[in-house]
């Protein structure tokens, strides 16, 4: 209920329309059809895909599929959004479009981007935490933000981050 993930591989269900892919988390939670229609339509418009609602994932470009993936993740209004290599399968133009969406989302939620392409994401981030072998090796503020001053993470927070990361990797391994 508090966290959502945007996968590098999109993880869309190919036999479902864009609308139904985005609506899936709401259906699982028992939302009414009227509420689903309203929320999905609004979310697809927000990510620039309103006119693609009745199409299937394979009819879309990689950038459009990734925006569907983002829409599906944010439809539940998570407090934390983890984006695992969200631009890894995209050209530069679509990559920047996805990063702009994630930047907008970061105004009211924690957005964590896991990437190997630091130079691409650097203009969009406010903080960079580097890991090596599951350990935090650096934590730096990149761009100033209008939010309250960001403080470096404590040793206890580092331990918690490592626990979350290790749990996430175990979960990714166990689930196809």
């Amino acid at each position: 209920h508090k966290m959502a993930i945007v996968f590098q591989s999109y993880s869309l269900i190919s036999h479902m329309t864009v609308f139904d892919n985005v609506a899936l988390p709401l259906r699982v939670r028992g939302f009414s059809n009227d509420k689903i229609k309203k929320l999905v339509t609004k979310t697809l418009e927000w990510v620039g895909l309103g006119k693609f609602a009745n199409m299937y994932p394979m009819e879309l470009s990689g950038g459009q599929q990734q925006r569907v993936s983002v829409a599906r993740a944010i439809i539940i209004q998570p407090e934390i959004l983890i984006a695992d290599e969200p631009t890894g399968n995209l050209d530069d133009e679509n990559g920047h479009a996805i990063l702009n969406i994630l930047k907008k989302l970061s105004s009211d939620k924690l957005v964590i981007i896991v990437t190997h392409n630091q130079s691409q994401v650097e203009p969009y981030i406010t903080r960079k935490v580097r890991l090596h072998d599951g350990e935090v090796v650096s934590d730096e503020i990149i761009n100033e933000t209008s939010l309250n001053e960001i403080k470096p993470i404590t040793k206890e927070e580092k331990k918690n981050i490592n626990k979350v990361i290790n749990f996430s990797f175990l979960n990714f391994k166990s689930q196809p």
Side-chain angles (χ1 to χ4, degrees):
H1 293 285
K2 294 186 182 271
M3 184 174 71
I5 299 174
V6 176
F7 298 97
Q8 176 181 358
S9 63
Y10 319 132
S11 298
L12 301 175
I13 301 171
S14 61
H15 66 274
M16 295 174 68
T17 64
V18 166
F19 183 95
D20 290 331
N21 267 281
V22 176
L24 188 60
L26 300 176
R27 292 195 196 289
V28 169
R29 287 172 174 78
F31 280 65
S32 71
N33 286 335
D34 289 340
K35 185 76 169 170
I36 289 171
K37 184 175 182 176
K38 180 180 174 183
L39 289 171
V40 171
T41 301
K42 179 181 174 183
T43 304
L44 285 174
E45 288 295 330
W46 193 83
V47 298
L49 294 175
K51 64 183 180 182
F52 298 94
N54 294 318
M55 295 180 78
Y56 290 89
M58 296 311 292
E59 298 174 303
L60 304 175
S61 71
Q64 290 167 330
Q65 289 182 55
Q66 189 64 297
R67 283 188 276 160
V68 173
S69 181
V70 170
R72 184 182 55 202
I74 66 172
I75 194 101
I76 61 169
Q77 297 296 310
E79 294 175 22
I80 301 169
L81 181 67
I82 299 175
D84 178 24
E85 295 281 359
T87 61
N89 294 329
L90 306 177
D91 59 48
D92 281 343
E93 183 180 342
N94 281 306
H96 289 295
I98 293 298
L99 291 169
N100 279 319
I101 290 171
L102 295 175
K103 179 70 173 175
K104 288 177 190 173
L105 290 168
S106 72
S107 67
D108 67 347
K109 61 181 79 301
L110 174 62
V111 176
I112 299 170
I113 300 174
V114 179
T115 186
H116 290 93
N117 192 346
Q118 295 174 35
S119 62
Q120 185 182 32
V121 300
E122 197 109 0
Y124 300 91
I125 63 173
T126 57
R127 185 176 189 171
K128 178 169 55 174
V129 178
R130 292 181 47 118
L131 302 172
H132 182 72
D133 291 336
E135 297 290 325
V136 175
V137 294
S138 70
D139 177 12
E140 59 186 298
I141 296 171
I142 301 300
N143 299 316
E144 291 301 317
T145 176
S146 61
L147 301 174
N148 295 334
E149 175 121 8
I150 299 174
K151 296 179 174 77
I153 57 177
T154 65
K155 287 183 180 182
E156 185 62 33
E157 289 171 322
K158 285 180 185 181
K159 288 179 187 175
N160 290 337
I161 289 171
N162 288 334
K163 287 178 188 176
V164 169
I165 291 167
N166 289 334
F167 175 77
S168 297
F169 284 126
L170 289 173
N171 192 37
F172 284 135
K173 286 181 183 178
S174 69
Q175 305 229 356

